[in-house]
Amino acid sequence: MQLADRPWPDIQTYCNSDSLAIVPLGSTEQHGPHLPEGTDHLIADALAREAAERTGFLCTPPVMVGVSSHHRQFHGTLSVDPATFRDYVESLSRSLTGHGIDRIVYVNAHGGNVEHLREVGRRLYEDDTAYAIEWMWNESIPDLVDDLFEHTGPHGGPKETAMILHIAPELVREDRLDAAAENGVARMEELQLRRHGARTFYDAIENSDNGVFGDQRDATAAKGEQLFEAAVDQLTALLDWLDEQRYEDLTARPHV
């Protein structure tokens, strides 16, 4: 059920019988010269919508801008301060709990959001407001990602390219795939990302001139469909599991 598409009595009916909500989150940031800036929120929203369709659970509109300051040197990247992002997501989550929602799955497609979503989840958990957890699509199917691509890369690479080729092929500049790989960092092993145990960079541009990490030239829509279906399977299984739990079993344990 898409919250934004329904009148309030329909949402009331849902909340009278169910207490789980899906919140898709991504970013609006550079993804190389070949992918749209909305790559992350497009993926998150597509996965969340499909999972909601299959399960019947409530899905909110997507949060389209996340924590992306590490891509700020590339035109079009939008970002919000981490504290602002955490407070916004927490406030959004608390507004859901006011309608009877007590468990939330953050369907996330942007690495820069991960630690902040987990912090929001902890805040809600510690004051016993709701049980909220972050789910990152590619982390749910790592073996498939590795099987499909030789050089996956963490950003703008083949897994994201394949997913967009599947869900929004008209937005991919396939004529730029060669340049994206050749002018980016196709092979992560070429980089020295740590020195003496320390991570020594902050921004993407320090390691890649065009913001690409990974070789997207073997990405196809068919591979994107494989990724999408496998990820949705994992997400629906998570939703069903969470829905089956007693809320009392999800809350914080008492002090010893």
Side-chain angles (χ1 to χ4, degrees), residues 6-19:
R6 299 296 189 96
W8 73 261
D10 293 2
I11 308 303
Q12 180 185 36
T13 299
Y14 175 86
C15 292
N16 285 341
S17 60
D18 289 281
S19 60

Side-chain angles (χ1 to χ4, degrees), residues 32-247:
H34 61 299
L35 289 178
E37 302 241 345
T39 289
D40 287 343
H41 74 247
L42 290 169
I43 292 173
D45 192 42
L47 291 168
R49 282 179 170 271
E50 182 62 24
E53 178 69 24
R54 295 186 189 184
T55 62
F57 292 123
L58 185 69
C59 183
T60 73
V63 176
M64 297 184 178
V65 177
V67 180
S68 300
S69 62
H70 50 296
H71 294 293
R72 68 187 187 278
Q73 291 93 344
F74 296 93
H75 285 78
T77 292
L78 302 178
S79 182
V80 293
D81 179 78
T84 300
F85 177 78
R86 291 192 295 269
D87 288 347
Y88 178 86
V89 175
E90 181 179 354
S91 183
L92 170 62
S93 301
R94 290 185 186 277
S95 73
L96 286 169
T97 68
H99 304 301
I101 299 298
D102 63 17
R103 56 204 78 192
I104 301 168
V105 174
Y106 299 126
V107 174
N108 182 36
H110 174 51
N113 294 340
V114 172
E115 64 181 290
H116 307 295
L117 293 173
R118 290 177 177 168
E119 170 60 23
V120 170
R122 174 164 288 281
R123 292 180 189 178
L124 298 171
Y125 173 78
E126 290 187 344
D127 67 13
D128 197 22
T129 299
Y131 186 78
I133 52 177
E134 182 266 347
W135 177 85
M136 184 79 170
W137 74 269
N138 56 289
E139 291 182 0
S140 75
I141 51 171
D143 292 340
L144 179 59
V145 171
D146 289 341
D147 288 345
L148 289 178
F149 309 110
E150 183 177 1
H151 301 289
T152 60
H155 188 78
K159 61 179 182 286
E160 291 179 321
T161 302
M163 283 285 271
I164 298 298
L165 283 170
H166 171 57
I167 64 177
E170 72 281 2
L171 299 181
V172 180
R173 291 296 303 267
E174 295 189 64
D175 58 315
R176 296 178 178 175
L177 293 181
D178 287 336
E182 292 166 1
N183 297 319
V185 179
R187 294 164 176 76
M188 294 299 294
E189 59 269 21
E190 297 175 359
L191 297 176
Q192 185 172 357
L193 300 178
R194 303 186 72 85
R195 296 178 186 274
H196 310 294
R199 174 172 161 165
T200 54
F201 68 94
Y202 285 97
D203 295 331
I205 202 169
E206 295 177 53
N207 295 310
S208 173
D209 290 338
N210 69 358
V212 168
F213 299 88
D215 191 337
Q216 57 290 106
R217 288 174 290 193
D218 60 348
T220 65
K223 290 181 180 181
E225 184 177 12
Q226 283 184 263
L227 294 172
F228 185 86
E229 292 298 324
V232 170
D233 285 345
Q234 291 295 313
L235 178 54
T236 57
L238 173 63
L239 295 169
D240 288 338
W241 171 84
L242 185 56
D243 183 57
E244 292 170 358
Q245 306 309 302
R246 294 192 314 155
Y247 184 71

